[in-house]
Amino acid sequence: MNEQNKLNRTMTLIPAVSTVMGTVIGAGVFFKASSVASATGSTSMSIFVWILGGLISLAAGLTGAELAAALPQTGGMLVYIERAYGKLPSYLLGWAQIIVYFPASVAAKGVIFGTQVANLFHLSTNAIIPAGVLAVASVFLINLLGSKVAGQFQSITLFFKLIPLALIVIFGLLQPGGVDVSLFPVTPGAHTGGWATAIGGGLLATMYAYDGWIHVGNIAGEMKNPSRDLPRAITGGLLGIMVIYVLVNFVYLHSLPFGAIAGNENTSMDVASHIFGGFGGKLITIGILVSIYGTLNGYTMTGMRLPYAMALENELPFSKQLRQLNRFQIPYVAGIFQLVLAIALMFVGGFDTLTDMLIFVIWLFYTLVFVAVIKLRITEPDLPRPYKVPLYPVVPIIGILGGLFIIVMTLISEFQLAVIGLLLTLAGLPLYFYMQKRKRQL
């Protein structure tokens, strides 16, 4: 096993940075500008929360990578939570990912895909959900053809994440805009209810765009020198993402009046049309659609394997069915389960509603991961750690405080949404005890 690990350690710094950026950059950068603007009420505060979200994500990535390097096992965050707190919290995380995180992620991307299709082809708003359902279902069918096909499809669409971003930034910065944008002085809009509310609402939106950093540490086992290159890859990758996000949003704010961005989910399409004209804007929008489709593929591919993994341990009802594979060795029943949940969520929630709920739920567990880094330093000081978080314990504490701020502000600003997320997560409690009792009886 050790020899195999040595053979697999081939990744150097540059591919690692690319992996970080490819993992994190998704649909959020194109479609969260509107909700950030609505929450913050000003251009300066909008830019500020994109920077702040990047710095919190940087602290989060540097912190979570310590456990990823120390516990490089399949399951990722499930393994970290169980090691630090026991089986029950780990089970609740798995349940929350199955019921909320992955289905809501797929649903949100389906909704925004349908929205862009409807606007691109000037269709009725009644076409949004059907177009989104077709996108979600077609990606599921692609995944049924095997992990190799899905992986190749993911690699192809990766390029389309960066092409629209690069074109919007380069040509948007060169084109004179009609709006002056400045970072200082940082002030919230008068309607937001003050600094805390503006930052809280803005952060909740930006953290969806930065989500994905938890998977960054998983490359530690493939790196030649993880203790040296992992923090560099995370720092370089997430700082690069933050620069891209800030530049893209600067171009948005520079190109359109602030009132035309706040609450407008078609901001990216409108900016593309403003910069490139009608035809050019449509080409950029098609590139954005391919990017969303590729991100949808990644979450579908990953999400369907989680109920399958839990079913292997008989931790879910109908575990026998959920662990069934098709001839391409794909857990198709688990995939159908996720597909049905995602489609149902598309009918009950819009893009921002779905993303806010999934970010609230997952950040409950992200914050536990940050605390786990400190806890395991105390309880398991001899655990081999190929990489240790720099500036310990300052960086983990920044992650913890950032997580607590996101959680508290969501409870204040989106109380009903937060309660629904909590209840869905806690619904796993009786199921856990029931399944444990069943396993003891077998």
Side-chain angles (χ1 to χ4, degrees):
M1 189 60 143
N2 289 335
E3 184 64 29
Q4 185 65 34
N5 286 342
K6 289 178 183 176
L7 291 172
N8 286 339
R9 290 188 181 277
T10 57
M11 186 177 288
T12 54
L13 180 61
I14 299 302
V17 172
S18 301
T19 302
V20 172
M21 298 184 75
T23 301
V24 175
I25 293 175
V29 64
F30 296 114
F31 303 108
K32 277 299 181 180
S34 62
S35 49
V36 171
S38 296
T40 58
S42 72
T43 57
S44 61
M45 182 61 79
S46 294
I47 296 294
F48 175 75
V49 295
W50 280 104
I51 295 171
L52 183 60
L55 293 176
I56 292 173
S57 298
L58 178 59
L62 289 170
T63 302
E66 177 169 314
L67 295 182
L71 304 167
Q73 301 168 33
T74 302
M77 191 161 51
L78 290 168
V79 176
Y80 319 151
I81 295 290
E82 183 172 352
R83 185 71 168 248
Y85 307 107
K87 184 64 180 177
L88 176 56
S90 175
Y91 185 90
L92 287 179
L93 167 60
W95 171 256
Q97 288 180 306
I98 289 172
I99 295 297
V100 179
Y101 182 73
F102 282 108
S105 295
V106 171
K109 289 166 180 59
V111 168
I112 205 68
F113 185 94
T115 302
Q116 296 308 301
V117 168
N119 282 287
L120 181 64
F121 296 104
H122 305 291
L123 304 175
S124 163
T125 54
N126 294 329
I128 291 174
I129 298 300
V133 169
L134 282 174
V136 169
S138 62
V139 168
F140 168 67
L141 293 175
I142 290 171
N143 275 268
L144 290 183
L145 298 176
S147 56
K148 184 177 180 181
V149 173
Q152 289 173 341
F153 183 75
Q154 189 70 13
S155 299
I156 293 169
T157 57
L158 173 61
F159 293 100
F160 288 92
K161 291 183 180 184
L162 301 177
I163 291 172
L165 288 171
L167 292 174
I168 287 172
V169 168
I170 292 169
F171 288 94
L173 291 175
L174 291 175
Q175 182 169 318
V179 184
D180 291 326
V181 184
S182 62
L183 178 58
F184 299 105
V186 178
T187 54
H191 73 277
T192 61
W195 276 76
T197 304
I199 294 176
L203 268 184
L204 188 62
T206 61
M207 297 318 290
Y208 173 74
Y210 284 110
D211 193 45
W213 56 263
I214 192 69
H215 309 298
V216 165
N218 295 339
I219 63 176
E222 302 171 58
M223 298 184 73
K224 284 185 175 180
N225 191 338
S227 60
R228 181 194 68 191
D229 288 343
L230 187 60
R232 293 181 179 180
I234 293 171
T235 304
L238 286 174
L239 284 176
I241 291 164
M242 183 171 70
V243 169
I244 291 170
Y245 284 5
V246 170
L247 286 175
V248 168
N249 280 275
F250 178 87
V251 170
Y252 288 169
L253 295 164
H254 187 57
S255 301
L256 299 178
F258 189 81
I261 296 174
N264 177 15
E265 289 185 347
N266 299 311
T267 294
S268 57
M269 186 175 179
D270 291 347
V271 169
S273 298
H274 175 80
I275 295 172
F276 301 102
F279 181 72
K282 287 184 177 181
L283 286 179
I284 295 296
T285 302
I286 291 170
I288 293 172
L289 282 170
V290 176
S291 171
I292 301 168
Y293 201 72
T295 307
L296 190 59
N297 178 65
Y299 275 86
T300 300
M301 184 167 51
T302 307
M304 69 167 63
R305 283 158 174 80
L306 189 56
Y308 167 75
M310 293 183 73
L312 288 176
E313 302 296 324
N314 290 313
E315 292 183 336
L316 294 172
F318 307 104
S319 286
K320 183 179 179 180
Q321 288 76 24
L322 288 170
R323 57 176 178 257
Q324 289 182 5
L325 303 175
N326 68 3
R327 65 189 182 94
F328 296 106
Q329 299 300 298
I330 298 300
Y332 69 99
V333 177
I336 292 170
F337 174 73
Q338 177 179 263
L339 177 65
V340 170
L341 272 180
I343 291 174
L345 286 172
M346 290 174 67
F347 282 94
V348 299
F351 177 67
D352 286 329
T353 300
L354 292 167
T355 54
D356 286 354
M357 183 171 67
L358 73 89
I359 287 299
F360 171 74
V361 169
I362 204 65
W363 267 86
L364 293 171
F365 293 98
Y366 286 166
T367 307
L368 285 178
V369 169
F370 309 148
V371 176
V373 170
I374 298 173
K375 184 177 186 294
L376 291 176
R377 284 275 190 114
I378 297 169
T379 59
E380 298 190 44
D382 298 326
L383 178 69
R385 292 173 171 84
Y387 155 80
K388 290 186 176 182
V389 57
L391 300 177
Y392 178 88
V394 175
V395 172
I397 288 173
I398 292 172
I400 293 168
L401 293 176
L404 289 174
F405 183 79
I406 292 167
I407 292 165
V408 171
M409 291 311 301
T410 307
L411 284 167
I412 293 172
S413 61
E414 299 278 0
F415 181 74
Q416 185 176 359
L417 195 67
V419 169
I420 293 171
L422 277 174
L423 290 176
L424 287 172
T425 301
L426 293 176
L429 275 173
L431 185 61
Y432 169 79
F433 291 114
Y434 170 72
M435 294 307 299
Q436 292 299 307
K437 182 179 179 181
R438 264 186 59 176
K439 287 170 75 174
R440 286 194 296 267
Q441 291 173 347
L442 292 177

